[in-house]
Amino acid sequence: MTKKDLRSLFREKRLALSPFFVESTSHLIIDLIVKNVNFENKVCSVFLPIQRLNEPITYPLINLIKNQGGKVAVSISDFNSRRMSHVIFESEQQLVLNSYDILEPTYGTPISNNELDIVFVPLLACDSSGFRVGYGKGFYDQLISELKPTAHTIGISMFDELVSIDDVEKHDKAIQSLATPKRFLNF
């Protein structure tokens, strides 16, 4: 299927999920991440969930990273350049909804993208090579291209199934690992 068709299909599937399913599935995913990833002395970019789109709930992951000696960075999106910058996450008090209804920090200590050790990537679907279908704006492809070579990219999916993407393009960037409700895959 094309990215456009997959995007439509998986957005619809995710919107049909109940709040209970989203919460319980998010916990299953985070449990698998914690069993497979060491956060000590790592700077981790964690996306803040867009609840109206039933994205995985990442707040427990943020707390676990901090408790295991890691630092959490959250992104600020520039919709004109389609680039993301990061600041260190201190508390929910620094967050506000932007004009796109996405939570973003209003202040915080800046950190460059090439200082990130682990980047958690939201996605709708993923193939067996680590190529993903997101919302189609290219923010994460751009971010991945700015990371240091040792950075680890981990996609988080509400669904276990892998898909076939017919139109992977030259600018698309694959993730290195995928966390789903039932498995943690390395590509």
Side-chain angles (χ1 to χ4, degrees):
M1 293 178 84
T2 66
K3 286 184 279 187
K4 180 181 178 184
D5 291 338
L6 288 164
R7 187 172 294 118
S8 177
L9 173 67
F10 279 86
R11 277 183 79 131
E12 190 174 308
K13 282 178 71 164
R14 219 169 54 190
L15 288 174
L17 302 175
S18 72
F20 174 78
F21 183 89
V22 172
E23 184 174 346
S24 59
T25 299
S26 296
H27 285 292
L28 292 173
I29 294 167
I30 290 168
D31 287 346
L32 282 173
I33 291 170
V34 170
K35 290 176 184 171
N36 287 279
V37 181
N38 175 14
F39 301 117
E40 188 175 356
N41 299 317
K42 302 280 197 266
V43 179
C44 305
S45 169
V46 180
F47 64 90
L48 300 172
I50 303 172
Q51 290 181 315
R52 65 182 162 75
L53 299 179
N54 280 344
E55 287 189 339
I57 301 167
T58 55
Y59 295 106
L61 178 61
I62 289 171
N63 293 330
L64 286 165
I65 291 168
K66 288 178 165 185
N67 290 339
Q68 291 184 13
K71 286 185 182 175
V72 175
V74 291
S75 65
I76 301 169
S77 299
D78 180 332
F79 281 83
N80 292 322
S81 67
R82 295 193 179 183
R83 295 189 69 192
M84 296 178 357
S85 58
H86 285 81
V87 299
I88 297 297
F89 180 76
E90 298 166 23
S91 73
E92 290 187 39
Q93 282 71 41
Q94 76 191 103
L95 304 177
V96 296
L97 285 173
N98 68 15
S99 59
Y100 294 91
D101 244 8
I102 299 170
L103 278 175
E104 286 188 328
T106 56
Y107 62 88
T109 304
I111 186 159
S112 71
N113 291 339
N114 67 5
E115 292 179 81
L116 300 171
D117 298 302
I118 299 170
V119 176
F120 290 97
V121 181
L123 54 85
L124 292 163
C126 188
D127 74 7
S128 60
S129 297
F131 288 101
R132 62 188 175 72
V133 176
Y135 296 120
K137 301 295 184 201
F139 281 98
Y140 278 90
D141 290 322
Q142 179 63 39
L143 174 61
I144 291 169
S145 71
E146 297 173 7
L147 298 174
K148 61 187 173 186
T150 57
H152 189 168
T153 53
I154 303 170
I156 298 180
S157 178
M158 294 297 286
F159 305 105
D160 290 302
E161 68 191 280
L162 297 177
V163 299
S164 177
I165 304 171
D166 296 337
D167 56 345
V168 172
E169 299 171 76
K170 192 186 299 186
H171 68 270
D172 291 336
K173 305 291 183 200
I175 53 175
Q176 296 161 315
S177 301
L178 177 67
T180 75
K182 293 183 182 172
R183 56 191 174 166
F184 189 92
L185 301 169
N186 291 306
F187 298 110

